[in-house]
Amino acid sequence: MEFGLAFTYPFQDQDWLKKIGIAGLLMIIPIIGQIIVLGWALEIVRRVIRRDPNPLPEWSDFGKYLMDGLMLFVAVFVYSLPLTIISSVSQALPFVAMQGSTDDETIATIITVVSVCVGCFSLIYGILLGLLLPAVGGNFAVKGKLGAAFAIGEIINLIKAAPGAYAFCLLGSLVAGIVSGLGVIACCIGMLFTTAYSMTVQAHLWGQAYNVAAGSTGA
């Protein structure tokens, strides 16, 4: 894994400013624009896996990026659903508890216990998700079918073959998240561009991790 390369490779493309700039502008468009950028990032994953010397794709096939991004979005949504459900339940519980009991101490105890349990679950599941999604994205990028994103056996085998590589993906997503947050300094518009850049970083790491895992399994 070339961790540093994931952060520097976009600047080796002579049109990096234009390509990331377009991605940043598309991020302004709610949902659709973000899905298109997700599909564009998936093409980066694909190019890294193919060891293409020019990983940053041109903005020449919006339709393909939209379809790829939509399928990956569905996969991410499904895998994130348990976290979403339990978070929603924990937020609704105080209102339910208040209507079912007048004992403030009991309500406070219930809320505290539930909050601790939800916090622990969220942390553990978030880490697992951080390891799982790069393998999901890599498998889908190679196979090009939505079913590949839910081929749990293949995905687990990839992670087992290169746990260190996928740990680097998790670390990279944390660092990229910090970089993305720096865009707040330049107001919301700046954040759109840093978010687009952070997606290119994660995409490169996903592609690298897949190559390491596939090499270990002999695929």
Side-chain angles (χ1 to χ4, degrees):
M1 291 283 290
E2 296 181 83
F3 191 75
L5 180 60
F7 291 85
T8 60
Y9 83 93
F11 309 115
Q12 297 172 10
D13 190 306
Q14 62 180 3
D15 293 325
W16 71 269
L17 186 58
K18 180 187 75 173
K19 293 176 181 178
I20 294 180
I22 292 173
L25 291 173
L26 284 169
M27 296 287 285
I28 298 174
I29 305 172
I31 303 177
I32 297 297
Q34 293 155 19
I35 287 176
I36 292 173
V37 175
L38 185 61
W40 178 73
L42 188 69
E43 179 61 23
I44 296 175
V45 178
R46 205 171 275 127
R47 289 184 173 213
V48 173
I49 292 172
R50 295 198 306 255
R51 294 180 171 81
D52 191 316
N54 300 305
L56 279 185
E58 296 287 346
W59 283 99
S60 56
D61 198 343
F62 283 84
K64 184 176 187 302
Y65 299 154
L66 176 61
M67 292 307 300
D68 280 352
L70 182 59
M71 287 190 282
L72 185 56
F73 174 81
V74 169
V76 172
F77 174 79
V78 171
Y79 283 111
S80 303
L81 203 53
L83 198 58
T84 303
I85 292 173
I86 197 167
S87 296
S88 300
V89 170
S90 68
Q91 290 173 11
L93 188 61
F95 301 100
V96 175
M98 282 188 289
Q99 295 196 8
S101 172
T102 56
D103 188 342
D104 292 340
E105 185 176 343
T106 301
I107 293 173
T109 302
I110 293 173
I111 293 174
T112 300
V113 171
V114 171
S115 297
V116 170
C117 292
V118 169
C120 292
F121 173 82
S122 298
L123 177 61
I124 295 170
Y125 194 80
I127 292 172
L128 292 175
L129 206 58
L131 297 172
L132 190 71
L133 291 182
V136 169
N139 206 45
F140 172 60
V142 170
K143 308 288 177 59
K145 297 179 179 179
L146 183 59
F150 297 101
I152 300 299
E154 295 176 9
I155 291 164
I156 296 300
N157 285 338
L158 287 172
I159 297 172
K160 287 169 63 178
Y166 286 104
F168 269 119
C169 288
L170 175 58
L171 175 61
S173 68
L174 296 175
V175 176
I178 294 172
V179 172
S180 177
L182 293 176
V184 175
I185 298 173
C187 299
C188 295
I189 297 299
M191 190 170 182
L192 293 173
F193 288 98
T194 53
T195 299
Y197 165 71
S198 72
M199 290 177 70
T200 69
V201 172
Q202 293 178 72
H204 200 280
L205 289 171
W206 288 19
Q208 286 193 63
Y210 183 90
N211 282 340
V212 173
S216 298
T217 58

